Amino acid sequence: MLVSRYLRLILKDICTHSCLHHFLLEFLGTALFLSASLSAVLMLPLAAGKPGRDLMSAGNQSDLSHPAPPLSPVSPAGPFQVALVFGLSIAMAAVSVGGDVHINPSVTIAMALTLRLRLWRAALYVIGQLLGGVASASLLLGLSRDLTPVLNQVSSGVHLHQAVALETLATLQLVLVVLATVSIPLPGMASPLLIGLAVSLGHLVAVRATGCGMNPARSFGPAVITLNFNNHWVFWAGPVLGACLAAGLNNLLLRPRRSGNWWA
Amino acid sequence: MLVSRYLRLILKDICTHSCLHHFLLEFLGTALFLSASLSAVLMLPLAAGKPGRDLMSAGNQSDLSHPAPPLSPVSPAGPFQVALVFGLSIAMAAVSVGGDVHINPSVTIAMALTLRLRLWRAALYVIGQLLGGVASASLLLGLSRDLTPVLNQVSSGVHLHQAVALETLATLQLVLVVLATVSIPLPGMASPLLIGLAVSLGHLVAVRATGCGMNPARSFGPAVITLNFNNHWVFWAGPVLGACLAAGLNNLLLRPRRSGNWWA
Amino acid sequence: MLVSRYLRLILKDICTHSCLHHFLLEFLGTALFLSASLSAVLMLPLAAGKPGRDLMSAGNQSDLSHPAPPLSPVSPAGPFQVALVFGLSIAMAAVSVGGDVHINPSVTIAMALTLRLRLWRAALYVIGQLLGGVASASLLLGLSRDLTPVLNQVSSGVHLHQAVALETLATLQLVLVVLATVSIPLPGMASPLLIGLAVSLGHLVAVRATGCGMNPARSFGPAVITLNFNNHWVFWAGPVLGACLAAGLNNLLLRPRRSGNWWA
Amino acid sequence: MLVSRYLRLILKDICTHSCLHHFLLEFLGTALFLSASLSAVLMLPLAAGKPGRDLMSAGNQSDLSHPAPPLSPVSPAGPFQVALVFGLSIAMAAVSVGGDVHINPSVTIAMALTLRLRLWRAALYVIGQLLGGVASASLLLGLSRDLTPVLNQVSSGVHLHQAVALETLATLQLVLVVLATVSIPLPGMASPLLIGLAVSLGHLVAVRATGCGMNPARSFGPAVITLNFNNHWVFWAGPVLGACLAAGLNNLLLRPRRSGNWWA
């Protein structure tokens, strides 16, 4: 049939060295990014109820419930340090693994939407990223039995639509920067640094309300390990919406592109 | 008549694709810049009486009057975080939208004064920037009903002439950096980063006294939404004065330019 | 005579357009650098007894004596903010004015010692830098009648030889970076940024013990305005020693240069 | 014999100008890096029980024992400032001395493992780095008689295997970044800055648990001066393990290289 023929073509496209190597790089890049960033956040002495505090004794605490952390008076340096950690980690992971990894499912989605990537490859890369997120989150169990501090949660007092809006805004600017760096020739290693800065900015925007997902793989890993999928859809809806908005804005208004097609 | 003929020529120059596209980019760039920076400042837990604190419960507070915030003991990280947020936001907005947007009316004015831009185009761009500022400020109402924390105000204890002087100084160094990046060929994406650093420096200079305007579009948006135009002229006088000084200093002393004319 | 002939030749070399323009640029660059950095330090709410606190009400305080500030528990963000302000200011001033200004007498001395600059030109540039320092310090009087917070002083509890050693170390690494950026072709605007980072590092090293001079023009301006020359020699001896060490280290060990002579 | 012939060949290879000059640069670079970073950490007012506090009066304190510092509530800015200091110091040292120094024994080991460096040269460079570490640590005695604040120690409450794991992770990402910068042509001075960022990230990961070694020369210097080799093996095992992992990951998965041999 036509379907099976297409499936065989897709499978043939996937089973190439370049595609599988890229899948491996997405896995390694995401694992490296999240191992560095989440362990740093676990280790940083931040304020009460926020991601990144009190790691060593965390396993001893009897936190029976996992309530959404209150919007308590966070230490002023808290959001900045988290933003710095994630920005640096993604930049260093992209430099280490090579500049053309996505590491972030929302970036992969935007690449597919702007016809820079075939759909099945995009799906494969997203799977690699999610596996990398789960792998690094499970490694973190060696540091602390309680991963709640690195879990993305909607803070109490924040409406869900506000959380989605902030996630969308943070992802929108990140993906716009990624699409800009892709469309302009840049000196070596400039794009990882720019993307790191965009990730830092996104955290400054959203970290207090949601812990800042912006990257479904980053939200998915700790959620799987802690089996806490409370409001987890927010960390998929916001980034995916932001990626779609960014792809549309980029291709329609900022840098109108000639047409292409998904299957060619 | 001559006047109507000139008006028709101006209109013809405005109604070109490049001019209207640039107008759109100014609108989008300013809206993106201010959406990211103002929402981040609204979300950051800074100290009492300063821009950027206590957003979620802000709408519930009964702040009947809008007094100028006192120069209370700000948390040390406060000014730095605000400076970081604005510097990153403007750099990411300029990268996203493309490196030749101004985003800032004082930059547009300096470009017109140094004969790099025709006067009517400059006016159009400024209108785009102001519209972008109002649009992003109205989006912020979804986060908090009280936008006072992001309003530029002269702090109590600061004389108006001091506020104007600090705004002038902050804008002077920003516009000098912009004019320097325009006059020298730079590797891709270097000028948005340099301008981001200059914006951060300007905030470190002026944020405690005025909240740091430096960009009339940034001051105008929240002022329109909150209908608080108290001392608003400071945030136009300082930046425009700084832009004029920078344009003069640049063209007369630093990089003397051959003559041109506004209408050619 | 021979002497008068030499003097006439020197005068002729000085009265060229390039030399006087460079003199003007040194004046403008230093004035811009110190106006931005010192006013930011005056405005930042740092901890007790350190540079950069309590500016608005400072003129009202009755500080009869100018004792060396005690090594009191500074707010942790203090040194970092001062380092950031000075690093950003010097980078932005160098970008604005043009990349080949020195702004710092110790850099000028190292340039003369490594035979990159004639002695009388070096002296002229140093005069321009000192004048720029005095000019910007006098402008600061409009912000606060008490400039003690921006005065470089040896903190109590710090021995003078420790202060000189720290100033020497801070200047040594700065001048080594300057000499490295001069000897290697770099992409545009890279050297101001590198020098800004070196200035920030120097402040992190020395700011708590001496307020970090590293630049005699920066120390000289506030000292002249406040007429407080207490231990002022430290801020000349340390930087000059650091510049000599850096020039020797650079030319003898790191990048051995062919011989030249001062008068050619 | 064959052995003595080989030894003579090795000795001949070592006694070349380039090799001895590189040995000297490793010594100078490490000494400069650690003089700047350790003195800055000694001077920074950080929180109790952490590296980098209370320097001036430290010599007067009667700290009879050298217990591992407790994981007390560190000031939030602490880890960030330490990360900034080390990142800036290594970047400035690499810029000053020249971009191809290693400064870090684990980098040298990774270079040897990836066949970019002969084994005996690697050994010589490591000796130079260790000497540089001891030299700078002994210079620090002029600032404070107690170097415990800059000693790398495993914090109490941190298991040894956790400490080794964090050191390994921090070094892994650093060496991956170094190997990436070596294998791609970069604009001048980009690699010192990238490596500085990686060093900062490593400190954010490991500084609270171990003070962050990541560089055996940095751990060795203060340990020799204070004669405190308590758990010192952690600061060799972690970095060496990280370097081996990075070399394998880089050459086998990320950037497969053609074969070479150690003796050619």
Side-chain angles (χ1 to χ4, degrees):
Chain A
M1 319 301 169
L2 209 65
V3 171
S4 76
R5 183 128 59 93
Y6 274 155
L7 278 179
R8 215 175 316 128
L9 279 172
I10 289 175
L11 208 67
K12 206 171 143 194
D13 182 56
I14 283 177
C15 293
T16 52
H17 178 74
S18 89
C19 184
L20 292 177
H21 192 238
H22 205 104
F23 169 78
L24 184 72
L25 292 186
E26 292 290 347
F27 172 80
L28 283 175
T30 312
L32 189 64
F33 159 52
L34 287 175
S35 299
S37 57
L38 297 184
S39 66
V41 169
L42 263 182
M43 301 300 294
L44 285 176
L46 301 186
K50 276 276 76 184
R53 70 171 294 260
D54 198 8
L55 74 151
M56 292 305 170
S57 56
N60 311 329
Q61 278 180 293
S62 61
D63 51 321
L64 300 169
S65 58
H66 291 281
L71 204 65
S72 55
V74 181
S75 139
F80 165 66
Q81 294 208 2
V82 174
L84 181 76
V85 160
F86 278 96
L88 274 180
S89 299
I90 198 121
M92 294 302 107
V95 165
S96 299
V97 172
D100 56 349
V101 286
H102 302 158
I103 295 181
N104 187 335
S106 51
V107 170
T108 304
I109 289 170
M111 289 291 177
L113 285 177
T114 57
L115 308 173
R116 288 182 171 85
L117 194 66
R118 292 167 206 165
L119 275 180
W120 46 88
R121 289 203 172 192
L124 194 76
Y125 295 174
V126 169
I127 291 170
Q129 290 153 0
L130 294 179
L131 288 178
V134 174
S136 61
S138 61
L139 277 177
L140 283 185
L141 288 176
L143 277 181
S144 162
R145 263 173 301 157
D146 178 21
L147 295 190
T148 316
V150 299
L151 193 64
N152 276 333
Q153 293 183 79
V154 180
S155 299
S156 72
V158 178
H159 294 295
L160 283 182
H161 69 267
Q162 288 178 330
V164 172
L166 285 170
E167 287 288 330
T168 304
L169 176 62
T171 314
L172 168 66
Q173 59 89 22
L174 168 64
V175 177
L176 280 177
V177 168
V178 172
L179 293 174
T181 62
V182 165
S183 61
I184 294 174
L186 287 177
M189 301 300 182
S191 66
L193 294 181
L194 283 169
I195 290 164
L197 291 176
V199 166
S200 288
L201 176 59
H203 277 80
L204 289 171
V205 168
V207 74
R208 202 176 167 220
T210 66
C212 195
M214 212 163 57
N215 183 335
R218 177 256 182 272
S219 308
F220 185 70
V224 165
I225 299 297
T226 61
L227 288 175
N228 184 340
F229 287 97
N230 203 6
N231 288 326
H232 187 64
W233 65 271
V234 166
F235 301 102
W236 284 87
V240 169
L241 193 57
C244 296
L245 276 177
L249 207 58
N250 185 72
N251 276 25
L252 300 179
L253 292 179
L254 301 177
R255 297 175 194 82
R257 273 185 92 216
R258 304 309 120 238
S259 72
N261 49 17
W262 272 301
W263 57 87
Chain B
M1 322 301 166
L2 209 66
V3 172
S4 75
R5 184 129 60 91
Y6 274 155
L7 278 178
R8 217 175 314 126
L9 279 172
I10 289 175
L11 208 67
K12 207 171 141 192
D13 181 57
I14 284 178
C15 293
T16 53
H17 178 75
S18 88
C19 184
L20 293 177
H21 192 238
H22 205 104
F23 169 79
L24 185 70
L25 293 186
E26 292 290 347
F27 172 80
L28 283 175
T30 312
L32 190 64
F33 158 52
L34 288 175
S35 298
S37 58
L38 297 185
S39 66
V41 169
L42 264 182
M43 302 300 295
L44 284 176
L46 301 185
K50 276 276 78 185
R53 71 170 294 258
D54 198 9
L55 74 151
M56 293 306 169
S57 55
N60 311 330
Q61 280 180 293
S62 61
D63 52 321
L64 301 170
S65 59
H66 291 282
L71 204 66
S72 55
V74 181
S75 139
F80 165 65
Q81 294 208 1
V82 173
L84 182 75
V85 159
F86 278 96
L88 274 179
S89 299
I90 199 122
M92 294 302 107
V95 165
S96 299
V97 172
D100 56 349
V101 286
H102 302 158
I103 295 180
N104 186 335
S106 50
V107 170
T108 305
I109 289 169
M111 290 291 178
L113 285 177
T114 57
L115 307 172
R116 288 182 171 86
L117 194 65
R118 291 167 206 166
L119 275 181
W120 47 88
R121 289 202 172 193
L124 194 74
Y125 295 174
V126 169
I127 291 170
Q129 290 153 359
L130 295 179
L131 288 177
V134 174
S136 62
S138 60
L139 279 176
L140 284 185
L141 288 176
L143 278 181
S144 162
R145 262 175 299 159
D146 179 21
L147 295 189
T148 315
V150 299
L151 193 64
N152 276 333
Q153 294 182 79
V154 179
S155 299
S156 72
V158 178
H159 294 295
L160 284 182
H161 69 267
Q162 289 177 329
V164 172
L166 285 169
E167 287 288 329
T168 304
L169 176 61
T171 314
L172 168 67
Q173 57 89 21
L174 167 65
V175 177
L176 280 177
V177 168
V178 172
L179 293 174
T181 62
V182 165
S183 61
I184 295 174
L186 286 176
M189 302 300 181
S191 67
L193 294 182
L194 282 170
I195 290 164
L197 292 176
V199 166
S200 288
L201 176 59
H203 277 79
L204 289 171
V205 168
V207 74
R208 202 177 169 220
T210 66
C212 195
M214 211 162 59
N215 182 336
R218 177 257 181 273
S219 308
F220 184 71
V224 164
I225 299 298
T226 60
L227 288 175
N228 183 340
F229 287 97
N230 203 5
N231 288 327
H232 187 64
W233 66 270
V234 166
F235 302 102
W236 283 87
V240 169
L241 194 56
C244 296
L245 275 177
L249 207 57
N250 185 74
N251 276 25
L252 299 179
L253 293 179
L254 301 178
R255 295 174 195 84
R257 273 186 92 216
R258 303 309 119 241
S259 72
N261 50 17
W262 272 300
W263 57 87
Chain C
M1 321 300 170
L2 209 66
V3 171
S4 76
R5 184 131 59 91
Y6 272 155
L7 278 178
R8 216 174 315 126
L9 278 172
I10 289 175
L11 208 69
K12 206 171 144 192
D13 183 57
I14 285 178
C15 291
T16 53
H17 179 73
S18 88
C19 184
L20 292 177
H21 192 238
H22 204 105
F23 170 77
L24 184 71
L25 292 186
E26 292 290 347
F27 172 80
L28 283 174
T30 312
L32 190 63
F33 158 52
L34 288 175
S35 299
S37 58
L38 297 185
S39 65
V41 169
L42 263 182
M43 301 299 295
L44 285 176
L46 301 185
K50 277 275 80 184
R53 70 173 293 260
D54 198 9
L55 74 151
M56 293 305 169
S57 55
N60 311 329
Q61 281 180 292
S62 60
D63 50 322
L64 300 170
S65 58
H66 291 282
L71 204 67
S72 55
V74 181
S75 139
F80 165 65
Q81 294 208 3
V82 174
L84 182 75
V85 160
F86 278 96
L88 273 179
S89 299
I90 200 124
M92 293 302 106
V95 165
S96 299
V97 172
D100 56 349
V101 285
H102 303 157
I103 296 180
N104 187 335
S106 50
V107 171
T108 304
I109 288 169
M111 289 292 177
L113 286 177
T114 57
L115 308 173
R116 287 182 172 87
L117 194 66
R118 293 169 205 163
L119 275 180
W120 47 87
R121 288 201 173 194
L124 194 74
Y125 295 173
V126 169
I127 292 170
Q129 291 154 359
L130 295 179
L131 288 178
V134 174
S136 62
S138 60
L139 278 177
L140 284 185
L141 288 176
L143 278 181
S144 163
R145 262 174 301 158
D146 179 21
L147 295 189
T148 314
V150 299
L151 194 64
N152 276 333
Q153 295 182 78
V154 180
S155 299
S156 72
V158 177
H159 294 296
L160 284 182
H161 70 267
Q162 289 177 330
V164 171
L166 285 170
E167 287 289 327
T168 303
L169 175 61
T171 313
L172 167 67
Q173 58 90 22
L174 168 64
V175 176
L176 279 177
V177 168
V178 172
L179 293 174
T181 62
V182 165
S183 61
I184 294 174
L186 286 176
M189 301 300 181
S191 67
L193 293 182
L194 283 169
I195 290 164
L197 292 176
V199 166
S200 288
L201 176 60
H203 276 79
L204 289 170
V205 169
V207 75
R208 201 174 169 224
T210 66
C212 195
M214 212 162 57
N215 183 336
R218 177 257 181 273
S219 308
F220 184 71
V224 164
I225 299 297
T226 61
L227 287 175
N228 183 339
F229 287 96
N230 204 4
N231 288 327
H232 187 64
W233 64 271
V234 167
F235 302 101
W236 284 87
V240 169
L241 194 56
C244 296
L245 276 177
L249 208 57
N250 185 73
N251 276 25
L252 299 180
L253 292 180
L254 301 178
R255 295 174 195 84
R257 273 186 93 216
R258 302 310 121 238
S259 72
N261 50 17
W262 273 301
W263 56 88
Chain D
M1 321 300 172
L2 208 66
V3 172
S4 76
R5 184 131 59 93
Y6 273 154
L7 278 179
R8 216 175 315 126
L9 279 173
I10 289 174
L11 208 67
K12 205 169 144 195
D13 182 56
I14 284 178
C15 293
T16 52
H17 179 75
S18 88
C19 183
L20 293 177
H21 192 238
H22 205 104
F23 169 78
L24 184 71
L25 293 186
E26 291 290 349
F27 172 79
L28 283 175
T30 312
L32 190 64
F33 158 52
L34 289 175
S35 298
S37 58
L38 298 184
S39 66
V41 169
L42 264 183
M43 300 300 295
L44 285 176
L46 301 185
K50 275 276 80 184
R53 70 171 295 261
D54 197 10
L55 73 153
M56 292 306 169
S57 55
N60 310 329
Q61 279 181 293
S62 61
D63 51 322
L64 300 169
S65 58
H66 291 282
L71 204 66
S72 55
V74 181
S75 140
F80 165 66
Q81 294 208 3
V82 174
L84 182 75
V85 160
F86 278 96
L88 274 180
S89 298
I90 198 122
M92 293 303 106
V95 165
S96 299
V97 172
D100 55 349
V101 286
H102 303 158
I103 296 181
N104 187 335
S106 50
V107 171
T108 304
I109 289 170
M111 289 293 176
L113 285 177
T114 58
L115 308 174
R116 287 182 171 85
L117 194 65
R118 292 170 204 163
L119 275 181
W120 47 88
R121 288 200 173 196
L124 194 74
Y125 295 174
V126 169
I127 291 170
Q129 290 153 0
L130 295 179
L131 288 178
V134 174
S136 61
S138 60
L139 278 177
L140 283 184
L141 288 176
L143 278 181
S144 162
R145 262 174 301 158
D146 179 21
L147 295 189
T148 315
V150 299
L151 193 64
N152 276 333
Q153 294 182 78
V154 180
S155 299
S156 72
V158 177
H159 294 295
L160 283 182
H161 70 267
Q162 290 177 329
V164 171
L166 285 170
E167 286 288 330
T168 304
L169 176 61
T171 313
L172 168 67
Q173 58 89 22
L174 168 65
V175 176
L176 279 177
V177 168
V178 172
L179 293 174
T181 62
V182 165
S183 61
I184 295 173
L186 287 177
M189 302 299 182
S191 67
L193 294 182
L194 283 169
I195 290 164
L197 292 176
V199 166
S200 288
L201 176 59
H203 277 79
L204 288 171
V205 169
V207 74
R208 201 174 168 223
T210 66
C212 194
M214 213 163 57
N215 183 335
R218 177 256 181 274
S219 308
F220 184 71
V224 164
I225 299 297
T226 61
L227 287 174
N228 183 340
F229 287 97
N230 203 5
N231 288 327
H232 186 64
W233 65 271
V234 167
F235 302 101
W236 283 87
V240 169
L241 193 57
C244 295
L245 275 177
L249 207 58
N250 185 74
N251 275 26
L252 300 179
L253 293 180
L254 301 178
R255 296 175 194 83
R257 273 185 93 215
R258 302 311 120 239
S259 72
N261 49 17
W262 274 300
W263 58 89

